Amino acid sequence: MSKLSKKLIIRITLVLSAVFIVSLALNTYFLPKYVLYQQKQKLAEVSSHVLSMEKKRLLEEIAELEQTYRVTIVYADLAESEDQLNDRLKTRLNEKRITLSRFWLTTDNIDTLREGGRVNKIYDQPKLKSNFLVNFLPMEGNVVAVGESIPYTSDTISMVNQFNVYI
């Protein structure tokens, strides 16, 4: 093998190694944040669409919106007490097959909604290996929860990185 061939092989190997290392680093450290950012953007878009609707129209079109955007939408009366409001939202989520081990709106969150503000939360569901990202929106005396389950990406990213190592 000539000197030129050895140099070429070494350089190609170094470039491929560098690309591989950068790929692993990006997948491990930046991809989960990017996925969450994209999900938040999508949920913000859906939430804006929901807020632009009248309550009556929203109630008629919830199923269609859920199917179109692949989200879950539930609502409850903001005049209820904190416990009643949380129970009502949790029950409606359960009816839509979203079972959360931890779910609550605090008094501060409810006050923010009553003043016309939005509340965004992520509920970690370790047993289900997912998160539930939800935007709470005030609408005509009600709170509308627009949420989406987000599976943990760490297991998938580990498999992709392991596959890259094998390659």
Side-chain angles (χ1 to χ4, degrees):
M1 193 180 278
S2 71
K3 240 181 172 179
L4 185 60
S5 296
K6 286 182 183 178
K7 282 184 179 182
L8 184 61
I9 289 172
I10 290 171
R11 287 185 180 169
I12 289 173
T13 303
L14 288 174
V15 168
L16 287 175
S17 297
V19 167
F20 174 74
I21 291 168
V22 168
S23 174
L24 283 176
L26 288 174
N27 285 346
T28 303
Y29 299 109
F30 297 109
L31 188 58
K33 292 176 185 172
Y34 178 73
V35 168
L36 183 60
Y37 171 77
Q38 288 296 320
Q39 297 294 348
K40 284 181 178 180
Q41 291 296 105
K42 175 187 165 191
L43 211 54
E45 180 184 321
V46 175
S47 296
S48 294
H49 181 69
V50 165
L51 281 176
S52 70
M53 302 172 78
E54 292 179 8
K55 179 183 167 189
K56 182 179 176 185
R57 184 170 158 231
L58 171 67
L59 297 178
E60 292 170 355
E61 296 182 16
I62 282 180
E64 182 182 329
L65 289 168
E66 287 178 328
Q67 187 170 359
T68 301
Y69 293 106
R70 289 176 278 159
V71 296
T72 302
I73 302 173
V74 296
Y75 61 93
D77 190 349
L78 265 173
E80 294 179 332
S81 71
E82 180 180 338
D83 290 336
Q84 290 172 324
L85 181 64
N86 282 312
D87 286 342
R88 176 105 46 228
L89 289 172
K90 191 170 182 178
T91 300
R92 288 193 171 148
L93 285 169
N94 286 338
E95 290 169 358
K96 295 190 179 197
R97 299 181 185 216
I98 303 291
T99 306
L100 302 174
S101 57
R102 297 180 199 146
F103 177 84
W104 63 92
L105 280 172
T106 64
T107 304
D108 293 339
N109 297 147
I110 295 170
D111 290 342
T112 300
L113 289 164
R114 287 179 179 151
E115 293 168 5
R118 293 182 182 191
V119 175
N120 304 319
K121 287 191 166 264
I122 297 177
Y123 296 102
D124 186 27
Q125 304 301 307
K127 288 184 181 179
L128 300 174
K129 292 190 175 186
S130 69
N131 292 316
F132 190 68
L133 177 64
V134 62
N135 289 351
F136 294 98
L137 317 164
M139 179 182 271
E140 299 176 25
N142 289 281
V143 57
V144 177
V146 180
E148 178 175 29
S149 286
I150 303 171
Y152 281 172
T153 55
S154 59
D155 293 341
T156 306
I157 291 170
S158 282
M159 283 187 263
V160 168
N161 284 342
Q162 187 176 13
F163 182 73
N164 285 338
V165 168
Y166 291 148
I167 289 176

